[in-house]
Amino acid sequence: MKKAASTKQTTAAKKAASTRQTTAAKKAASTKQTTAAKKAASKTSAASAAKKASKGAAVKKAPAARKVVVAPKKATARLKGTAPAKTVVHPPGDESRTALVRRARRINRELAEVFPYAHPELDFENPFQLVVATVLSAQTTDLRVNQTTPSLFAKYPTPEDLAAANPEEVEEILRPCGFFRAKTKSVTGLSKALVEDFGGEVPGRLEDLVKLPGVGRKTAFVVLGNAFGRPGITVDTHFQRLVRRWRWTGESDPDKIEAAIGALFPKSDWTDLSHHVIWHGRRICHARKPACGACPIAPLCPAYGEGETDPEKAKKLLKYEKGGFPGQRLKPPQAYLDAGGKPAPPLGAG
């Protein structure tokens, strides 16, 4: 009996051990299969992702190359008809203050070489004639003023004469200038003020000049700079357009433009700077179609390309002496004539 019981226990123990071994083996095999399946799935997923990325990269187009703006290296070369070297223009989007000052002053130096004879384009022989001519130049050309003032000053040579003039007679003389009634009121009014407040003499101070009828800061600086030799910046329409086009300032108010540009240059440069900028605006850097292909400062201009860049076509856009045509003064300075400039014709001629 004992032997039989012992045999049964041994058999049961062996079966239990065998069962445990079989279960462990099954679990190990299952774990290995699961791990292998996961690895295979991971590889398949990675391969699929790589394939999709590769396909997306192939479909996505490369960004278009940015067009490089090319400008002539030296302006005067184009004006002479030779083919200049070329260089890339870098718009000063993040230009530092120091870089702006250097670029602005270099532009002024370049323009001084191109327009060494730059001068006020109104004919005058004394401060009185200059202040009257400048007032008359509003909303018209200097040429038309120059063609009109000889008759005016021949009949009314002094402030006293113009102050006592018959307004209707003055209006008739000034009719070619446009807005002749308002301009008659201004020039006769400023003449009376000169007689009554300044002894018939044009004052040489800004604060006195701006008190005269029809005289603002622009007119005052024209008179101060060209009749009295006192520095001033003339912010006319050409000046405003160009300094904004060159990104010297973003201001639009004339007084703020004057202050901003004045801070870039020493006072001694102000009057000549005004002439250089205005002359360039009238001859080359026009409002609607600038002659970029004939521009002396093209490598320094962030707006290069807004106008005609072809040298031959641009050359046809040049005005006055640069285009071989008469200037605006009937009696220009000798330096202008020596440089090839031609005097303008009198009113009614040709």
Side-chain angles (χ1 to χ4, degrees):
M1 288 293 290
K2 287 182 180 180
K3 189 174 181 179
S6 176
T7 300
K8 287 179 181 181
Q9 289 176 353
T10 301
T11 301
K14 285 181 179 180
K15 285 183 178 181
S18 176
T19 300
R20 284 197 296 266
Q21 288 177 354
T22 301
T23 302
K26 287 182 178 180
K27 284 184 178 180
S30 175
T31 300
K32 286 182 180 180
Q33 289 176 354
T34 301
T35 302
K38 286 183 178 180
K39 285 184 178 179
S42 177
K43 287 182 180 180
T44 302
S45 177
S48 177
K51 187 175 182 180
K52 286 182 180 180
S54 176
K55 186 177 180 181
V59 173
K60 189 176 180 181
K61 293 183 179 179
R66 187 176 180 181
K67 187 177 181 180
V68 177
V69 181
V70 179
K73 188 174 182 180
K74 189 72 175 177
T76 49
R78 282 205 186 278
L79 294 177
K80 293 177 182 178
T82 59
K86 295 185 177 181
T87 185
V88 176
V89 174
H90 300 284
D94 55 350
E95 190 174 36
S96 69
R97 177 71 180 180
T98 299
L100 170 60
V101 171
R102 289 175 178 172
R103 183 171 63 90
R105 295 185 181 185
R106 184 179 171 189
I107 286 176
N108 188 39
R109 290 194 300 271
E110 294 282 348
L111 294 181
E113 291 183 11
V114 179
F115 306 111
Y117 43 76
H119 55 269
E121 295 193 87
L122 290 168
D123 283 321
F124 70 98
E125 296 178 358
N126 54 55
F128 171 64
Q129 290 187 1
L130 180 57
V131 70
V132 170
T134 307
V135 170
L136 295 178
S137 68
Q139 304 297 317
T140 191
T141 64
D142 287 356
L143 171 59
R144 185 47 58 96
V145 174
N146 292 336
Q147 292 174 329
T148 304
T149 51
S151 298
L152 180 69
F153 295 139
K155 192 168 185 177
Y156 310 108
T158 67
E160 290 82 2
D161 296 324
L162 193 52
N166 182 337
E168 292 182 359
E169 294 179 1
V170 177
E171 287 178 3
E172 193 59 33
I173 295 174
L174 300 183
R175 187 179 293 272
C177 288
F179 302 98
F180 56 92
R181 291 189 178 90
K183 291 180 180 180
T184 294
K185 187 176 181 180
S186 292
V187 297
T188 55
L190 74 84
S191 297
K192 290 177 182 178
L194 290 176
V195 173
E196 296 172 1
D197 302 331
F198 301 101
E201 299 291 333
V202 176
R205 298 195 313 164
L206 175 65
E207 53 267 37
D208 293 330
L209 284 169
V210 294
K211 293 177 183 177
L212 299 175
V215 177
R217 288 180 69 88
K218 184 193 81 171
T219 298
F221 281 129
V222 170
V223 175
L224 289 174
N226 298 288
F228 294 99
R230 296 177 183 173
I233 294 177
T234 304
V235 185
D236 72 347
T237 55
H238 299 289
F239 193 95
Q240 291 185 51
R241 180 179 75 253
L242 265 62
V243 298
R244 287 170 59 83
R245 185 173 279 175
W246 295 335
R247 298 185 192 174
W248 286 4
T249 180
E251 299 291 349
S252 57
D253 178 75
D255 291 348
K256 292 181 179 179
I257 290 175
E258 177 195 322
I261 305 306
L264 300 177
F265 296 87
K267 275 190 175 183
S268 57
D269 289 350
W270 287 358
T271 300
D272 286 339
L273 168 70
S274 299
H275 291 324
H276 297 153
V277 174
I278 293 170
W279 275 59
H280 187 61
R282 285 176 172 168
R283 285 152 177 77
I284 298 174
C285 195
H286 312 136
R288 294 184 180 179
K289 197 171 184 181
C292 294
C295 180
I297 57 163
L300 303 170
C301 179
Y304 176 81
E306 288 186 5
E308 181 58 65
T309 57
D310 180 84
E312 293 304 318
K313 292 181 180 179
K315 193 173 182 180
K316 295 178 181 179
L317 299 174
L318 301 178
K319 295 183 179 180
Y320 307 114
E321 76 285 347
K322 289 301 178 187
F325 304 106
Q328 300 199 75
R329 290 188 66 165
L330 278 66
K331 298 180 180 179
Q334 189 60 44
Y336 178 72
L337 298 174
D338 293 342
K342 302 176 182 178
L347 189 64

